[in-house]
Amino acid sequence: MKNKIVFFSCFILMSLSSFSQSISSSPYSLYGVGSLYDSDFGSIPSIGSSGIALPSDNFINNLNPASLGYMPLNHFMFDLGGKAIATTYQSGSRSEKRNNFQFSHIAFAFPVTKKSGFSAALRPYSSASFKISNLKLPIENSQESYYLTAAGSGGLNNFDFSYGYRLGNKLALGLSATWLFGNTTDERSYLISNSLTTINKETSYHGVRATLGAQYKIDSTLTIASTFKAPSRVRASKVQSAESVTGGIETIFEYNQASDTDDYYLPLEIGVGISKRFKNNLNMTLDYEKSLWNDTNQSELFGNFVNQDRFALGFTFKAKKDTRKYWDKIQYSAGANFDTGYLEVDGKRVNNAALSVGLSLPIENTFSALNISYSYGQKGSVSDNLIKENYHKISLNLSLDGIWFVKRKFE
């Protein structure tokens, strides 16, 4: 049974990984390098994507590199994840449904010493995949309007190396070095009166970023933690073609012209979190994160980047710690999060709120588990040319944990 669970999970997740460039179809992904992507490991998706203060004692915690300081000795961890998302888009009296499958992440981690650990992970950072037809938009400082038709794809990938070290029994510190790379394609047409202008653009990005993390155990039941993601510049270059058709006369402005373009700036992000255990079987996690997008001085034709606040709350429950009954070994989870968003369109925030539940199913006679979670959320609103997204998301994460370099007692 154990081998069947592992094989079935790997088959599904590797199938999803063929969509290695995420195919999220949010219309808000036309901004910047696309919609930022949640790639949470282990059971984190089921607890509202909270967990800055959780240790990496039985799964890889990608929210805080300091968690690697608590990796058990001789353990090798491997995490693979994917998502299925069903979304309904609403704008005024119109609605549309889309289904997507997305690769989430692949990662491994192992202890370096009894007080330190190392991990490497590959996951999407952003997703730019959208299609918009004949969207009517006002011309600034004018009573007239124009029509936008746009399509795009691509996004950035996130490849990071993390190291965590524990000082004594209470304090752990960590550092992540991240390489961001990828490209986006963007085709937009602007129809104003009898003039149609089309711009095709492919933009390539690359940059690095550092993250610092800390966890401090106040006692055996309470941990506080923090993370600091340094502001970073992601360099960009583009190849662009542009043409216009007015009254049947075609004018080509440029064709496959290579040039530099505006770089993309990542903000300073500060996070704090707590983890509190009650009666040895109920655990609560609470996170708050602040992203200072205002300081990047970035804007888009259709909106602005603004400071972002994110709140996340989660609970996990396991009936018994030591039991022979399989159903008593299952961990049950629930969570919620609210995000004010980093985009402001026509003075309206594109915020996001979600509820989640999940199960962590242990694979018998191992330290591994299959994590399944369901989330329901809403993003944006139906007002002032905004689009509201209602989505159902199922996350499937396989957390494998093996023992290294331990001699067998029996042959």
Side-chain angles (χ1 to χ4, degrees), residues 273-291:
I274 64 171
S275 175
K276 174 64 177 177
R277 189 174 72 250
F278 303 92
K279 296 183 179 180
N280 293 322
N281 55 8
L282 177 65
N283 196 82
M284 181 194 73
T285 51
L286 178 63
D287 292 355
Y288 168 72
E289 294 178 275
K290 181 79 171 184
S291 301

Side-chain angles (χ1 to χ4, degrees), residues 68-79:
L68 295 168
Y70 294 97
M71 279 201 68
L73 197 61
N74 298 322
H75 284 240
F76 180 89
M77 297 182 182
F78 178 81
D79 209 292

Side-chain angles (χ1 to χ4, degrees), residues 69-268:
Y70 294 97
M71 279 201 68
L73 197 61
N74 298 322
H75 284 240
F76 180 89
M77 297 182 182
F78 178 81
D79 209 292
L80 180 68
K83 303 177 182 180
I85 304 178
T87 308
T88 301
Y89 303 93
Q90 293 178 285
S91 177
S93 59
R94 299 175 58 187
S95 65
E96 181 179 344
K97 295 183 179 181
R98 296 181 188 175
N99 300 320
N100 298 292
F101 298 95
Q102 303 175 357
F103 165 69
S104 175
H105 64 273
I106 184 171
F108 67 87
F110 57 85
V112 179
T113 67
K114 65 179 181 180
K115 291 187 177 181
S116 65
F118 170 86
S119 73
L122 175 64
R123 53 194 173 92
Y125 173 79
S126 67
S127 169
S129 184
F130 56 88
K131 187 175 182 180
I132 299 173
S133 299
N134 297 320
L135 178 63
K136 185 178 180 180
L137 295 170
I139 298 176
E140 189 173 356
N141 299 322
S142 172
Q143 299 297 320
E144 298 183 4
S145 300
Y146 68 97
Y147 291 88
L148 168 68
T149 297
S153 62
L156 267 63
N157 298 299
N158 186 115
F159 188 33
D160 62 54
F161 301 93
S162 301
Y163 178 77
Y165 185 81
R166 178 162 46 92
L167 303 170
N169 295 321
K170 290 184 175 293
L171 177 63
L173 302 176
L175 171 66
S176 289
T178 300
W179 177 36
L180 294 163
F181 63 97
N183 61 75
T184 61
T185 60
D186 190 321
E187 179 179 346
R188 304 190 187 188
S189 297
Y190 306 88
L191 177 62
I192 305 175
S193 298
N194 64 338
S195 177
L196 177 65
T197 301
T198 302
I199 300 175
N200 295 312
K201 178 174 64 175
E202 180 175 349
T203 308
S204 299
Y205 298 91
H206 64 90
V208 295
R209 194 184 198 189
T211 299
L212 299 175
Q215 290 184 341
Y216 183 77
K217 285 191 173 184
I218 296 177
D219 56 41
S220 61
T221 65
L222 180 62
T223 300
I224 59 175
S226 63
T227 57
F228 299 87
K229 295 182 179 180
S232 177
R233 178 182 182 181
V234 181
R235 297 186 180 276
S237 60
K238 69 178 180 180
V239 176
Q240 181 171 288
S241 299
E243 64 179 23
S244 177
V245 179
T246 304
I249 301 175
E250 180 181 9
T251 303
I252 298 177
F253 300 106
E254 55 185 347
Y255 180 75
N256 287 341
Q257 182 69 41
S259 64
D260 293 331
T261 187
D262 292 338
D263 294 333
Y264 186 72
Y265 292 87
L266 301 177
L268 171 65

Side-chain angles (χ1 to χ4, degrees), residues 224-369:
I224 59 175
S226 63
T227 57
F228 299 87
K229 295 182 179 180
S232 177
R233 178 182 182 181
V234 181
R235 297 186 180 276
S237 60
K238 69 178 180 180
V239 176
Q240 181 171 288
S241 299
E243 64 179 23
S244 177
V245 179
T246 304
I249 301 175
E250 180 181 9
T251 303
I252 298 177
F253 300 106
E254 55 185 347
Y255 180 75
N256 287 341
Q257 182 69 41
S259 64
D260 293 331
T261 187
D262 292 338
D263 294 333
Y264 186 72
Y265 292 87
L266 301 177
L268 171 65
E269 298 182 52
I270 302 171
V272 293
I274 64 171
S275 175
K276 174 64 177 177
R277 189 174 72 250
F278 303 92
K279 296 183 179 180
N280 293 322
N281 55 8
L282 177 65
N283 196 82
M284 181 194 73
T285 51
L286 178 63
D287 292 355
Y288 168 72
E289 294 178 275
K290 181 79 171 184
S291 301
L292 303 178
W293 287 95
N294 280 350
D295 294 342
T296 65
N297 296 317
Q298 296 178 113
S299 63
E300 286 277 343
L301 178 62
F302 311 110
N304 298 307
F305 290 80
V306 293
N307 288 346
Q308 177 184 24
D309 297 286
R310 180 179 173 275
F311 306 86
L313 173 67
F315 295 91
T316 60
F317 175 80
K318 184 181 293 186
K320 297 179 181 179
K321 185 175 182 180
D322 297 313
T323 180
R324 293 184 178 182
K325 294 181 179 180
Y326 180 82
W327 294 107
D328 288 337
K329 298 178 182 179
I330 296 175
Q331 177 178 282
Y332 303 88
S333 308
N337 64 63
F338 177 76
D339 181 353
T340 62
Y342 61 96
L343 289 175
E344 188 175 76
V345 182
D346 292 335
K348 301 289 185 179
R349 286 290 190 107
V350 183
N351 54 33
N352 179 78
L355 299 173
S356 58
V357 294
L359 299 173
S360 182
L361 305 174
I363 300 173
E364 292 185 89
N365 301 320
T366 71
F367 296 97
S368 305

